Amino acid sequence: MREFSVIIERDEEGWFVATVPGLRGCHTQAKSLDQLMERVKEAIELCLEVESPAVNEFIGVQRVAVAA
């Protein structure tokens, strides 16, 4: 069993978008979080068939404020 960090965002149209930093180009989207989790598992399995995971370790996400 392997574990991957997944970044989840919601776009301007309300879709949930999942990105897997450890696998280049591995992302998916869905209208619900439950459906997103099913799809991201499938996406990871497909990405692993064609690519080895990156050796970088995902540390986290930091929010930064700037004057705009």
Side-chain angles (χ1 to χ4, degrees):
M1 184 66 70
R2 298 167 92 168
E3 291 186 0
F4 293 88
S5 297
V6 178
I7 297 171
I8 299 173
E9 301 173 282
R10 187 178 358 225
D11 71 11
E12 63 277 355
E13 296 176 6
W15 285 81
F16 292 100
V17 180
T19 304
V20 183
L23 294 169
R24 187 176 325 138
C26 188
H27 48 82
T28 190
Q29 64 182 22
K31 276 292 194 182
S32 73
L33 284 173
D34 288 337
Q35 187 178 40
L36 183 72
M37 296 316 296
E38 290 177 24
R39 288 184 177 182
V40 78
K41 288 178 184 179
E42 293 173 2
I44 289 170
E45 290 170 351
L46 291 171
C47 288
L48 286 173
E49 289 180 10
V50 296
E51 179 183 340
S52 297
V55 295
N56 296 344
E57 177 185 0
F58 179 75
I59 300 300
V61 176
Q62 182 67 47
R63 185 177 290 270
V64 177
V66 297

